Amino acid sequence: LLSEYSSQKNIDILKVIKMVLIHDLVEIDAGDTFCYDEKGYEDKAEREQKAADRIFNILPPDQAEEIMGLWHEFENMETAEARFTACMDRLEPILLNYNTKGHTWQKPGVTSAKVYKRIAILEKNAPELWEFARQLIEDSIKKGYLKP
């Protein structure tokens, strides 16, 4: 639905959908790390790689290779599709937090600076969505959902 907002035209939306789903499958198996949990990030890559190896290697080798490749492509953000997938991954928590009055933003240590840093990829890769997210963040600060 939001592909028209990608700064790169003609992205492969089916590939984006695959990457979003694959990314989430790995996080489900490995345990989703709260994006502002610095301690949790210390072993995140290792936990997720183990989960990816376990899940994807259930598949026939050709499918395992394709799925693993898409997962690595997303993680490395080297293609337009991977960067747009990352934009979607970063935008979703903004929408959720705004509509839950900053539910997870209320955790200790979460500030607007950290939120902006996390969504920086939108500015170049989906500028209109960046502006929309920026407006939600600024309104959240005014409403007290997010610390400045």
Side-chain angles (χ1 to χ4, degrees):
L1 292 173
L2 299 174
S3 63
E4 67 187 83
Y5 297 105
S6 172
S7 61
Q8 297 292 310
K9 299 306 171 206
N10 302 318
I11 60 170
D12 182 344
I13 196 62
L14 179 58
K15 190 175 184 181
V16 170
I17 292 168
K18 285 180 181 180
M19 279 193 252
V20 166
L21 294 172
I22 291 164
H23 165 74
D24 284 347
L25 281 175
V26 171
E27 286 185 339
I28 289 167
D29 191 82
D32 193 9
T33 304
F34 182 53
C35 61
Y36 306 107
D37 178 4
E38 294 172 15
K39 180 91 171 132
Y41 266 78
E42 290 176 6
D43 66 343
K44 178 182 183 272
E46 180 182 336
R47 284 185 289 113
E48 289 187 354
Q49 184 63 60
K50 284 180 183 177
D53 290 340
R54 191 188 72 69
I55 296 169
F56 303 154
N57 286 316
I58 294 170
L59 300 168
D62 61 328
Q63 291 177 351
E65 183 179 337
E66 176 192 2
I67 300 300
M68 186 69 81
L70 287 169
W71 181 66
H72 281 294
E73 183 177 333
F74 170 77
E75 291 297 315
N76 296 327
M77 289 192 255
E78 295 171 349
T79 64
E81 285 83 6
R83 288 185 296 275
F84 190 70
T85 301
C87 288
M88 297 299 93
D89 185 59
R90 302 315 192 270
L91 180 62
E92 184 221 6
I94 302 296
L95 299 172
L96 289 173
N97 273 290
Y98 185 77
N99 288 292
T100 60
K101 299 181 180 178
H103 177 71
T104 61
W105 287 341
Q106 301 302 312
K107 293 186 178 189
V110 180
T111 64
S112 60
K114 288 183 179 181
V115 174
Y116 275 119
K117 182 178 179 184
R118 174 101 176 121
I119 68 162
I121 191 166
L122 274 88
E123 190 168 17
K124 181 178 179 185
N125 294 282
E128 290 173 274
L129 295 177
W130 159 260
E131 181 56 30
F132 176 67
R134 191 194 65 71
Q135 289 172 9
L136 293 180
I137 292 167
E138 292 303 314
D139 196 42
S140 294
I141 293 167
K142 287 177 190 168
K143 290 179 176 179
Y145 304 164
L146 178 62
K147 296 174 191 87

